[in-house]
Amino acid sequence: MTPQPPYLAIAAEIARRIRSGALVPGDRVPSTRAITREWGVAMATATKALAALRRQGLVRPEPGVGTVVAAPPADRSAEAAHLTRERIVAAAIELADAEGLGALTMRRLATVLSVSTTALYRHVPGKGELVRLMTDAVCAELPLGPVPANWRTGLERGARWLRGVYTRHRWMAHAMAGFMRPVAAPHAMAYTEWVLAVLRSTPMTAGQKLHSHLTIFAYVQGVGMADDLEEQARQETGLSGDEWMEKNEPRFDAIQSAGSYPLLNALTEEGGFVLDLESLFEFGLRRTLDGIAVMIGETSA
């Protein structure tokens, strides 16, 4: 029996990995360099192996990535035919909700949708634009409602609305992080317009109104980021906040036992204080609104 040429043997092994599910659509297959290292063959043999896989329709070249596993042609064409910008944005939001904004890439999203990355680029030019569309879609989920007559009621309602956005979609705190480069999204901008309408009847200057809005926005965003960081830590460590504190309690006790932090020790020994982000949010929101009330009173005087 004539032995199988090395490049066909290599192609057969990679094909086996694909058919077994070890490599799924969108995954990068071994590069020519990786093949030369793993199988100890020349670069020309590695190139022929990948060419054989392409002829079988099992892999395809992906610009900027390399050679990746191809979705079955019929499935890929069917999915691409029904692909819309709205469907892409919805899938991206679902992926970011589950795994965070860092896990979202065009390649990963293409895999989720069982389409080629090229098909995505026909609808969205890149991740930056995709995140902008995601942000706008999220801000459109729930209406703010009519503008209240009382400025404090309005600012509180607006802050809680924004807090709700960050709670439902933790990644949003990072997506909207640029104060000097705000997101050019109609529904996100509508929130700013709504808040400014709340402050319209106050005696504050235009600058004071905008700074009041941005101060509340920054505060709610900060709590939202803390939420997102806590969720990431929980996923990475497998520990809840309480479990993490319990595990690290001996270390804190050892540091505090030296007596270098008497005020912190006194606060801890008093007991009855449980820090959670919701109580922090409520405390900070009230104090921020109190400060704005003082400024309005001074402006009116």
Side-chain angles (χ1 to χ4, degrees), residues 53-290:
L53 290 168
R54 284 196 295 272
R55 286 195 297 272
Q56 297 174 49
L58 294 174
V59 301
R60 58 180 173 77
E62 186 66 43
V65 177
T67 302
V68 301
V69 177
D75 293 345
R76 188 164 67 248
S77 61
E79 291 289 340
H82 294 90
L83 198 62
T84 63
R85 175 176 286 189
E86 290 72 21
R87 186 174 170 222
I88 292 171
V89 171
I93 291 172
E94 186 175 349
L95 177 58
D97 285 348
E99 302 182 32
L101 200 59
L104 176 65
T105 64
M106 298 296 278
R107 178 188 172 196
R108 177 71 188 284
L109 186 59
T111 301
V112 169
L113 290 167
S114 298
V115 299
S116 68
T117 309
T118 303
L120 293 184
Y121 283 118
R122 296 192 187 104
H123 297 271
V124 183
K127 182 176 177 179
E129 174 64 6
L130 176 60
V131 173
R132 187 189 73 82
L133 293 170
M134 292 163 61
T135 298
D136 203 43
V138 163
C139 288
E141 288 178 345
L142 294 175
L144 275 158
V147 176
N150 180 273
W151 69 263
R152 183 163 184 143
T153 301
L155 290 186
E156 183 174 349
R157 182 180 300 173
R160 293 189 188 284
W161 177 89
L162 187 60
R163 172 69 174 146
V165 170
Y166 291 152
T167 300
R168 294 190 304 275
H169 309 283
R170 299 180 189 278
W171 52 270
M172 275 286 287
H174 295 277
M176 298 182 71
F179 276 87
M180 303 308 294
R181 301 182 183 187
V183 178
H187 291 100
M189 294 169 68
Y191 164 74
T192 298
E193 181 73 10
W194 191 91
V195 172
L196 293 177
V198 166
L199 296 173
R200 182 169 46 196
S201 61
T202 69
M204 290 192 291
T205 65
Q208 289 173 329
K209 291 173 183 177
L210 185 59
H211 278 86
S212 295
H213 156 61
L214 292 176
T215 297
I216 294 175
F217 183 91
Y219 172 69
V220 180
Q221 186 180 50
V223 177
M225 283 189 170
D227 258 337
D228 190 41
L229 291 172
E230 172 58 26
E231 176 61 20
Q232 290 180 33
R234 187 193 65 76
Q235 291 182 0
E236 291 171 2
T237 65
L239 300 174
S240 67
D242 290 341
E243 290 169 338
W244 186 90
M245 287 296 295
E246 184 178 348
K247 180 180 179 181
N248 285 274
E249 189 172 357
R251 182 175 297 175
F252 285 116
D253 289 344
I255 294 173
Q256 290 180 255
S257 64
S260 302
Y261 310 99
L263 298 179
L264 183 59
N265 287 349
L267 180 65
T268 305
E269 290 169 1
E270 284 180 14
F273 176 75
V274 178
L275 177 63
D276 67 82
L277 290 176
E278 287 308 316
S279 65
L280 175 62
F281 170 75
E282 294 297 335
F283 178 88
L285 177 59
R286 291 192 182 96
R287 302 296 80 78
T288 302
L289 295 178
D290 289 345

